[in-house]
Amino acid sequence: RKEVEQDPGPFNVPEGATVAFNCTYSNSASQSFFWYRQDCRKEPKLLMSVYSSGNEDGRFTAQLNRASQYISLLIRDSKLSDSATYLCVVIPMNTGFQKLVFGTGTRLLVSP
Amino acid sequence: DTEVTQTPKHLVMGMTNKKSLKCEQHMGHRAMYWYKQKAKKPPELMFVYSYEKLSINESVPSRFSPECPNSSLLNLHLHALQPEDSALYLCASSQDVVGIRLYEQYFGPGTRLTVT
């Protein structure tokens, strides 16, 4: 089983739609979680960190479910500019250096 | 300002060439990273520098040689690469390697490398 798993998509949605992505992780001791966004042929950019209580940033809401070991990202009122690959990132809490473990990404296509 | 810069943007090199990739950040971050990313795959960690010392080498072949001249600069020296090394090479930095909220990594735009 992969450490971090995501549905690769693509998710095709119209503008204005609400879309949700899930990501599951295998290491129950993981403590830090992030969503990154990567546009085609560009670098990953930190979208948001995911906190235990869940957090919201404008149209984006991230949730963490430790019992089921998944995190989610909800995008409301999708814009054309939201089209990108969304990477789920987990940091397993091993001793020593904490290394980012990336999921394979979920591709989102928002159409007019 | 969260900015990591990388040069060059694109690089084409032959298998016998020696070249270097450069990365710079001025955010006062003490951890810097090199990643390799192939098309439609997530970034793969190569090296980590923490406080200018190499702390992680993810079993990267010796034809890749990292260097951290100071806390703001990170180089990746390339020699005798293979065509399969063609990829996007990303540099990233974070405030530190330990401590909650210090893990947030900021990526540079990458160098697209083609080995012929």
Side-chain angles (χ1 to χ4, degrees):
Chain A
R1 184 184 172 188
K2 290 183 184 172
E3 282 193 83
V4 181
E5 294 202 67
Q6 292 183 254
D7 182 340
F11 283 53
N12 289 285
V13 302
E15 267 186 295
T18 295
V19 62
F21 310 133
N22 280 343
C23 162
T24 57
Y25 60 95
S26 59
N27 186 332
S28 60
S30 298
Q31 294 292 327
S32 297
F33 310 89
F34 308 91
W35 283 102
Y36 277 75
R37 168 203 169 120
Q38 187 169 24
D39 292 295
C40 188
R41 300 180 71 81
K42 299 279 191 182
E43 75 274 22
K45 290 191 176 173
L46 179 64
L47 182 64
M48 54 201 305
S49 302
V50 186
Y51 304 125
S52 295
S53 53
N55 46 303
E56 188 174 307
D57 183 2
R59 298 182 293 109
F60 298 85
T61 300
Q63 295 279 350
L64 168 62
N65 184 319
R66 284 191 187 278
S68 301
Q69 293 181 212
Y70 77 82
I71 67 173
S72 63
L73 178 68
L74 182 78
I75 305 176
R76 288 181 297 279
D77 188 22
S78 299
K79 311 290 184 195
L80 294 176
S81 57
D82 293 334
S83 297
T85 296
Y86 290 83
L87 294 160
C88 171
V89 180
V90 172
I91 299 185
M93 287 301 279
N94 303 317
T95 56
F97 171 69
Q98 285 80 30
K99 168 180 140 179
L100 296 190
V101 179
F102 285 84
T104 50
T106 297
R107 194 160 166 232
L108 172 65
L109 298 171
V110 181
S111 53
Chain B
D1 185 20
T2 54
E3 188 177 80
V4 178
T5 59
Q6 289 187 245
T7 55
K9 286 191 181 344
H10 300 274
L11 178 62
V12 179
M13 60 186 289
M15 290 189 283
T16 57
N17 291 160
K18 282 186 182 180
K19 296 285 185 185
S20 296
L21 309 184
K22 296 186 184 304
C23 173
E24 190 167 4
Q25 57 87 13
H26 292 289
M27 296 178 278
H29 287 178
R30 304 316 301 263
M32 295 185 77
Y33 312 79
W34 280 115
Y35 289 86
K36 172 182 176 179
Q37 187 175 27
K38 301 283 264 185
K40 299 190 190 302
K41 299 284 187 185
E44 297 173 30
L45 183 65
M46 299 174 73
F47 301 104
V48 180
Y49 273 82
S50 175
Y51 291 81
E52 300 162 50
K53 290 191 179 354
L54 182 65
S55 58
I56 297 282
N57 175 340
E58 290 283 284
S59 304
V60 179
S62 59
R63 57 186 184 268
F64 296 91
S65 173
E67 178 198 17
C68 188
N70 61 54
S71 59
S72 301
L73 291 174
L74 188 65
N75 298 323
L76 186 63
H77 303 298
L78 314 173
H79 173 54
L81 295 195
Q82 305 295 312
E84 59 265 28
D85 296 322
S86 299
L88 180 67
Y89 287 84
L90 293 159
C91 173
S93 71
S94 65
Q95 272 187 271
D96 209 321
V97 293
V98 292
I100 299 291
R101 302 199 67 175
L102 300 181
Y103 305 145
E104 295 175 351
Q105 292 188 17
Y106 298 91
F107 286 82
T111 293
R112 195 160 295 280
L113 174 68
T114 303
V115 181
T116 60

